[in-house]
Amino acid sequence: MSDQGDNYDVLDMSGDGMSTEKAKDSKRTLRRLLTALKPQRWQMMIAFVFAVGGVLLNLRAPLLFADAINEIFIGIMPAMMGIGPVHIDFVQLGTLAAILIGIYILSAVITYFQEFIMASVSQKLVLVLRENVGEKLARVPLRYYDNHKKGEILSRVTNDLERVNEVMNGAIMRIFTSFVTIIGALILMFRIHWILTLISIGTILVGLIITALVGMKSAGYFANRQKSLGIFNTKIEENFSGQVEIKTFTLEKRAKEETNAAAEQLYRDDKKAQFIMFAIMPIIRLFNQIGYVAIAGLGASFVINGRISIGQIMAFFQYIQMSQEPLTEASYVINSLQSALASVERVFEVMDEAEDIQDVEDAQKISNPKGDICFEHVQFGYGAELLMHDVSFQAKAGQKIAIVGPTGAGKTTLVNLLMRFYELNGGRIKIDGIDITRFEREYLRSLFGMVLQDAWLFEGTIAENIAYGCHQASDAEIVEAARIARADYFIRTLPKGYSTVMNDENASLSQGEKQLVCIARAILANPPMLLLDEATSSVDTRTEVHIQKAMDTLMKGRTSFIIAHRLSTIKNADTILVMNQGDIVEMGSHKELLAKNGMYYEIYRSQFAS
């Protein structure tokens, strides 16, 4: 709806929050994420308790294996040495086997409940973030949408939050269980033999150093990937929505090249991010295997010398795996967490955007709106430079105010200011003598019915689209509004009439027919004031005549602002505002402006000169 030109169509990659650097403040982002998890702290505490229980059960299992192996070894030793028969206590082995099976079953049950709770926590977190972002996007000023591409916003609301969901679903608990498992395994390893444990710790330290180095490097790669994903989504959205223009100007090749370039960049950035995340595992496993060889050789000598039992060395190897595998997994999870932090930071950037100025606490309402509108020395600019320097005029109740001027003159901007989509830099706008800043925005906008140049229909029935601003309307009222808007005839020719669902499958509706539905919507809302932004620009001349008659009926007794390029539609306006470069340069009736031989005269002559 902005009339500021095409400046905001250029994607500013330097200031949209999609920096090529790593997360600007990972610690702060993590703290905010944990704060968002605070309402679910009790569920997480229960999950942590389950996790500790599962880890302790898993740590107990190797000791039982050691006892079983020692029992077998002791039973077969006499036969191996030739001093007696094999004597294995199968009752004791059966008891150990039963305990092990019980431990594994209990561990599986505990793990199931732990993962179920964490899945619920993760989904609830993403739900809350989605709701917060949705509410935030409803509170940010229209300026935010001017400066951000649709694809970029969609990427933050969908892809980034989905990435957070994927990682948070198990990341926190994996890190916690990995830490507890490593500590518990090391304690039990020290109880078996301290020298073998020190060798194992050496390999673990090497793994930790590699994990830390890779973690610092991977943050930037994941930020790059999310940036490229946003650009790619923007290109896809542009190509889908601009197919008619692309084909009209035979730009298919260029669109394909730009999309392919964005896809190639996404491929390169994603490949780097994925490589750094997965390449760390074989590197860490290499050092683990070197440690295995050293421990196996030294451990064998300890067994021969009787310093530890064969069951203990077998248990020790299990504890090595239990301590090193979580380390490998933790490194993967930490790198994934970096990706999630890069994503959630982009979400938080949306939530940190400046909002519309809050409505006043003692907001006013007009018991019987008349429609007297007054602009007093209004100043406004989309940036540091002012577009409007000193706009002043008055519209009395029931008058039709037409706004004309070249493209980019500020016509739509003036209407946007009246609806308070943007805040003024100076001056005041009054309705019935009350400054519009004294109204709540919702109430202020309810005073106006608006029909835009671009018809907007949502996926729903024709009847639901007409009743969009008046949900309590009866079927008869909906049909009457459509009849006044000259839409009833073509609606009844549709397969299901007013019950026809608007979607991509019935996109055969012409732009003019869609516009008629939008006009019927404004008629049904029955507002005290009207804003018509090129409302008849998409219909043919014959239909325009009918629509104009319907609009004349609708506008009776209502203050109406009509933005028009076709001067034939506004000849009977009470006042015509001629705008150029943001300011009103001429004002008066059709006859008065023609007599001035100014800009309006030039525009009129360009349209009607023979």
Side-chain angles (χ1 to χ4, degrees), residues 115-225:
E115 293 183 353
F116 177 82
I117 293 172
M118 285 307 299
S120 300
V121 168
S122 173
Q123 291 292 340
K124 181 67 175 178
L125 170 66
V126 173
L127 173 63
V128 170
L129 289 177
R130 280 202 176 104
E131 290 176 344
N132 290 342
V133 172
E135 293 172 1
K136 181 70 177 187
L137 290 175
R139 295 195 302 267
V140 295
L142 199 61
R143 192 186 306 270
Y144 176 80
Y145 296 98
D146 292 340
N147 297 327
H148 292 78
K149 288 287 188 178
K150 294 178 183 178
E152 176 205 337
I153 298 174
L154 288 173
S155 179
R156 298 191 184 209
V157 176
T158 56
N159 294 320
D160 285 329
L161 281 175
E162 189 56 36
R163 183 61 183 164
V164 173
N165 178 43
E166 291 174 1
V167 176
M168 293 304 299
N169 195 22
I172 293 179
M173 195 55 63
R174 286 184 183 180
I175 292 174
F176 175 75
T177 54
S178 295
F179 176 78
V180 175
T181 299
I182 291 171
I183 297 300
L186 288 176
I187 292 173
L188 294 174
M189 288 163 65
F190 268 110
R191 291 183 59 184
I192 293 174
H193 204 284
W194 65 275
I195 295 178
L196 298 179
T197 304
L198 290 178
I199 296 174
S200 179
I201 290 176
T203 60
I204 290 176
L205 289 176
V206 172
L208 288 174
I209 293 172
I210 295 174
T211 301
L213 293 175
V214 173
M216 290 187 292
K217 188 70 175 175
S218 64
Y221 289 144
F222 283 113
N224 288 351
R225 184 183 68 174

Side-chain angles (χ1 to χ4, degrees), residues 217-285:
K217 188 70 175 175
S218 64
Y221 289 144
F222 283 113
N224 288 351
R225 184 183 68 174
Q226 292 306 109
K227 170 206 166 184
S228 299
L229 184 59
I231 296 174
F232 178 72
N233 285 338
T234 296
K235 287 297 179 186
I236 292 296
E237 189 272 333
E238 286 178 345
N239 289 343
F240 282 164
S241 60
Q243 274 298 304
V244 175
E245 289 80 3
I246 291 173
K247 292 183 183 301
T248 300
F249 292 100
T250 63
L251 294 175
E252 292 93 338
K253 182 178 180 181
R254 177 179 170 183
K256 179 181 178 181
E257 289 173 351
E258 291 179 350
T259 303
N260 288 345
E264 286 288 337
Q265 186 62 45
L266 176 59
Y267 162 75
R268 288 191 294 268
D269 290 335
D270 191 47
K271 183 172 70 172
K272 290 179 182 178
Q274 296 296 331
F275 174 79
I276 198 89
M277 182 165 60
F278 289 106
I280 189 174
M281 293 185 183
I283 296 174
I284 293 177
R285 285 199 175 100

Side-chain angles (χ1 to χ4, degrees), residues 29 33 67 221 234 270 308 321 349 363 451 468 499-500 536:
T29 303
L33 192 60
D67 292 341
Y221 289 144
T234 296
D270 191 47
I308 58 176
Q321 188 167 1
E349 284 175 354
V451 180
Y468 184 72
S499 298
T500 301
T536 60

Side-chain angles (χ1 to χ4, degrees), residues 4 15 47 120 136 155 165 233 268 276 290 307 312 343 373 390 421 450 458 480 517 549 556 585 607:
Q4 58 182 302
S120 300
K136 181 70 177 187
S155 179
N165 178 43
N233 285 338
R268 288 191 294 268
I276 198 89
I290 293 173
R307 299 173 65 176
Q312 287 179 311
S343 295
I373 296 175
D390 187 5
F421 289 140
M450 179 176 279
F458 61 88
E480 178 63 16
V517 174
K549 291 180 180 179
K556 283 183 181 178
V585 295
Q607 291 188 17

Side-chain angles (χ1 to χ4, degrees), residues 196 294-306 308 313 317:
L196 298 179
I295 292 170
L298 190 58
S301 66
F302 288 163
V303 171
I304 293 171
N305 295 331
I308 58 176
I313 193 64
F317 273 108

Side-chain angles (χ1 to χ4, degrees), residues 102-122:
I103 285 176
Y104 289 138
I105 292 175
L106 184 58
S107 176
V109 172
I110 289 175
T111 301
Y112 169 81
F113 282 108
Q114 168 222 304
E115 293 183 353
F116 177 82
I117 293 172
M118 285 307 299
S120 300
V121 168
S122 173

